[in-house]
Amino acid sequence: MSKLKSIALWAYVVAIMFPFFFLLLLSLSSDWRYPALLPEYFGLKNWVQVVGTESGLAYSFFISLVISLSVAVTATLSGFFISRYVSYHKKKGLLTMLTYFPYILAPVVFGACLSYYFLRIGIFGTTAGVIIAQFIIAFPYALIFFSSFWNEKIKNYENLVSTLGGNRWTTFTKVLLPMAKGLMMVCFFQTFLISWFEYGLTSIIGVGKVQTLTIKVFLFIKEANFYYGAMSCCLLIIPPVVLIYINKRFVFNKLI
Amino acid sequence: MKNRGYIGILFFILIGITPFALSFGYALLYSFGVIGVANSGFTLEFWKAVFESGEFVKSLFYSIAIALVSTVISVSLALWFTLAFEKKLRGRILSFVIYLPLAIPGIVASFFTVQVLSKAGFFSRLFNKIGITSGISDFPDLINDPYAIGITLVFISVVMPFFLLLFLNVYQNERVAELAELSRSLGASERQTIWRVSLPVLIKKTWTLIALYFIFLLGAYEIPLILGEESPQMLSVLIVRELKQFDLSKISEGYVVAVIYTVIVSIATILLFSNRKSQDIHE
């Protein structure tokens, strides 16, 4: 029984590592046709082209980074400040429940129903439109995330600063922000990843014009260009792996 | 100070609630034919058409079945791994490795699954090489298949690692090891300790998240889009397909499905919340 258990554990470890090795191998390959078990070409040919303009992957990586950083910064900051008012409100329960509706709804369905307004405002198919759409789904996450921060203890600190003569600015800059620094980092990376991994909403609002990395993966699947698809996957995976290496909390959070 | 509070709540309503209310209102009006290029006024025709075609009901049950099977298998596997390897999984290397699946988004998991489980994929080649199959047609349909094997496998591979980390976390925070030790010292068997102590503690502390993940899977899009069949389709895929139709009358039917899906998910959220509240009060 214990031998079986050991086999199960090692099988799980292999199952975790296999996609990383396989995708890297595929991104370094070409001319890998059925029934060959290994590729005919193995080298850096595909990756060299990433630097060039042929695949557009470098641009996709850059635009994904810009979108995700914008979403993460705005969602984290607005989530932090607005969650204070929600958490201290006498109808906190109701307001928090309302926050869950956009959070729990499939982003692609949300985006499809919102697209009319984006079209009217003139941001349909633009990078700004995608940032705003992703912010709309990342914001409720940030709001729920920070709701546990605003508790009785924090309120007492705020009152203490006020009693000692500190104004609102001092309270935020000298007390609240230093206390919430760790949480803000976690929220920043979590909202960054929500945006980084997002596909459905981006495809609806971006209408194929805003080609983030997830959109590229799907395009390469449709074109049956699996080598470039694998490269896009590797580029998508690298930032979260780095984050896990730096701090696991940046990627895993048992929210809610 | 009071004014500042009002501004904060106003921002909350503007960013947090208004987009949801606007999108739901638009979908609702479109579904009743009140707005829309090809619509001429209030009608129940689109709602009737959706229920008469049976495609929505089929899609709903198909989505529920896949989400349920995936959630049950993921939770069961994660619980088993937690109880069987709790100490080993906290080791230096393993504690890093078990986080790695969280770095793989749904679209990458789907792409990888196509590469390894399709008829020309890696496993088909491997089985052909070692003589288990004699060609491409001998390999079973594991993606875009009628039983949604591919979708279910990817759902499990995406959700199970999260639950494993969650259960390991709860195991430590709730001191399940100490509770199990106590129950054994009071004469309980290993089986009794697992079924009467460890599992109830782990599930009671996480059931809200389990339910939320079931709802997330119900609305999953890119995984069933890549690995699913043409019919039936999972709810999100069906909704987007209907909304992108060239036949303008079909767009209203797409909004009908979107409205029903939103109502189902919203009711589930309210139920989860009210249950959670009463649980919090009892605790």
Side-chain angles (χ1 to χ4, degrees):
Chain A
M1 183 62 190
S2 82
K3 200 172 182 182
L4 267 176
K5 272 186 172 181
S6 284
I7 292 170
L9 182 62
W10 284 110
Y12 183 55
V13 173
V14 170
I16 289 174
M17 299 309 293
F18 182 52
F20 293 92
F21 288 116
F22 186 85
L23 289 171
L24 187 66
L25 177 76
L26 191 60
S27 74
L28 292 167
S29 312
S30 84
D31 301 322
W32 194 1
R33 294 187 191 90
Y34 188 90
L37 203 54
L38 289 169
E40 271 182 36
Y41 171 83
F42 186 77
L44 289 170
K45 189 174 81 181
N46 300 330
W47 282 96
V48 170
Q49 283 166 357
V50 171
V51 186
T53 52
E54 194 190 327
S55 64
L57 272 178
Y59 177 73
S60 285
F61 185 80
F62 171 73
I63 200 76
S64 298
L65 211 59
V66 168
I67 292 172
S68 299
L69 287 173
S70 312
V71 171
V73 169
T74 48
T76 305
L77 289 176
S78 57
F80 178 72
F81 289 109
I82 296 175
S83 69
R84 181 182 178 275
Y85 298 104
V86 173
S87 299
Y88 289 162
H89 199 271
K90 54 184 177 207
K91 295 257 184 228
K92 184 196 167 185
L94 176 72
L95 297 179
T96 311
M97 191 176 74
L98 289 172
T99 314
Y100 273 88
F101 289 146
Y103 175 66
I104 214 166
L105 196 69
V108 69
V109 177
F110 196 15
C113 297
L114 267 179
S115 55
Y116 165 77
Y117 301 101
F118 280 70
L119 197 64
R120 289 296 295 266
I121 302 168
I123 50 172
F124 199 54
T126 63
T127 306
V130 171
I131 292 172
I132 293 171
Q134 290 191 357
F135 168 75
I136 290 171
I137 56 159
F139 172 71
Y141 177 91
L143 211 67
I144 298 164
F145 183 90
F146 285 117
S147 62
S148 60
F149 175 76
W150 304 104
N151 50 32
E152 224 23 65
K153 195 178 113 190
I154 298 294
K155 208 171 188 175
N156 289 340
Y157 273 116
E158 286 184 57
N159 291 336
L160 183 66
V161 177
S162 181
T163 311
L164 293 171
N167 56 21
R168 300 288 320 146
W169 177 252
T170 322
T171 314
F172 264 102
T173 52
K174 303 278 183 197
V175 181
L176 298 177
L177 285 176
M179 281 179 89
K181 207 170 74 184
L183 272 183
M184 287 181 93
M185 284 286 277
V186 175
C187 185
F188 172 82
F189 287 118
Q190 298 258 329
T191 46
F192 175 86
L193 289 180
I194 288 176
S195 165
W196 188 254
F197 288 167
E198 170 51 44
Y199 169 75
L201 184 70
T202 312
S203 70
I204 294 279
I205 302 295
V207 272
K209 288 181 190 165
V210 184
Q211 296 202 339
T212 59
L213 279 174
T214 52
I215 300 288
K216 274 282 182 195
V217 173
F218 192 74
L219 285 176
F220 287 135
I221 292 175
K222 271 171 61 179
E223 287 172 11
N225 190 346
F226 301 125
Y227 313 112
Y228 279 17
M231 273 199 302
S232 317
C233 289
C234 289
L235 291 173
L236 263 171
I237 290 171
I238 291 167
V241 170
V242 172
L243 288 181
I244 292 173
Y245 184 74
I246 299 169
N247 189 341
K248 291 164 192 161
R249 277 186 73 209
F250 291 158
V251 178
F252 172 73
N253 199 282
K254 55 181 192 75
L255 183 70
I256 309 156
Chain B
M1 173 64 204
K2 208 160 191 183
N3 277 344
R4 227 179 257 133
Y6 283 129
I7 293 168
I9 294 298
L10 194 73
F11 268 109
F12 164 73
I13 292 169
L14 202 69
I15 315 171
I17 301 173
T18 309
F20 178 77
L22 283 176
S23 67
F24 184 70
Y26 181 76
L28 195 67
L29 292 175
Y30 214 119
S31 73
F32 284 116
V34 179
I35 50 173
V37 190
N39 296 335
S40 51
F42 183 85
T43 175
L44 290 172
E45 179 194 330
F46 306 119
W47 284 77
K48 224 172 118 192
V50 164
F51 284 103
E52 273 173 1
S53 80
E55 198 174 8
F56 160 68
V57 179
K58 215 197 279 180
S59 170
L60 177 68
F61 283 110
Y62 180 69
S63 306
I64 291 174
I66 296 173
L68 196 66
V69 169
S70 309
T71 311
V72 169
I73 296 176
S74 303
V75 170
S76 309
L77 278 173
L79 281 171
W80 185 75
F81 271 98
T82 306
L83 295 175
F85 306 110
E86 191 269 325
K87 279 201 182 89
K88 279 189 182 169
L89 291 174
R90 293 193 196 282
R92 222 179 112 225
I93 295 170
L94 278 183
S95 68
F96 173 73
V97 170
I98 57 172
Y99 275 84
L100 287 176
L102 300 189
I104 299 181
I107 195 148
V108 173
S110 307
F111 174 83
F112 169 73
T113 307
V114 170
Q115 295 308 311
V116 294
L117 291 185
S118 67
K119 278 187 176 285
F122 180 78
F123 284 113
S124 174
R125 293 161 195 234
L126 185 69
F127 286 1
N128 183 56
K129 194 85 177 168
I130 56 179
I132 295 175
T133 59
S134 56
I136 213 163
S137 56
D138 282 357
F139 195 74
D141 288 320
L142 295 176
I143 60 163
N144 309 117
D145 60 299
Y147 302 106
I149 296 170
I151 300 176
T152 311
L153 281 175
V154 175
F155 277 175
I156 294 168
S157 72
V158 169
V159 175
M160 184 265 185
F162 171 82
F163 281 126
L164 178 60
L165 293 168
L166 180 73
F167 292 144
L168 283 171
N169 222 303
V170 175
Y171 194 94
Q172 196 172 30
N173 292 345
E174 298 300 314
R175 303 167 76 177
V176 177
E178 282 97 324
L179 286 174
E181 193 58 50
L182 182 68
S183 89
R184 272 185 228 109
S185 66
L186 289 171
S189 66
E190 197 56 42
R191 185 185 265 274
Q192 280 173 322
T193 305
I194 290 172
W195 287 97
R196 301 267 176 97
V197 180
S198 308
L199 286 179
V201 172
L202 290 173
I203 290 173
K204 198 182 169 209
K205 283 282 162 191
T206 54
W207 76 268
T208 318
L209 264 178
I210 295 172
L212 274 177
Y213 263 77
F214 168 76
I215 297 170
F216 288 148
L217 292 184
L218 203 64
Y221 179 64
E222 54 264 44
I223 295 169
L225 180 70
I226 295 169
L227 301 171
E229 266 204 317
E230 279 293 310
S231 175
Q233 287 177 318
M234 283 191 75
L235 278 172
S236 293
V237 184
L238 176 74
I239 292 169
V240 174
R241 192 195 74 190
E242 296 284 295
L243 297 183
K244 283 185 172 173
Q245 292 264 8
F246 287 110
D247 179 358
L248 294 177
S249 67
K250 288 277 176 196
I251 295 177
S252 295
E253 291 177 24
Y255 280 114
V256 172
V257 183
V259 167
I260 301 171
Y261 163 73
T262 309
V263 169
I264 292 172
V265 166
S266 303
I267 291 172
T269 311
I270 294 168
L271 287 176
L272 272 179
F273 244 82
S274 49
N275 264 331
R276 204 179 169 202
K277 252 188 201 167
S278 62
Q279 198 188 27
D280 288 348
I281 291 164
H282 287 112
E283 278 171 359

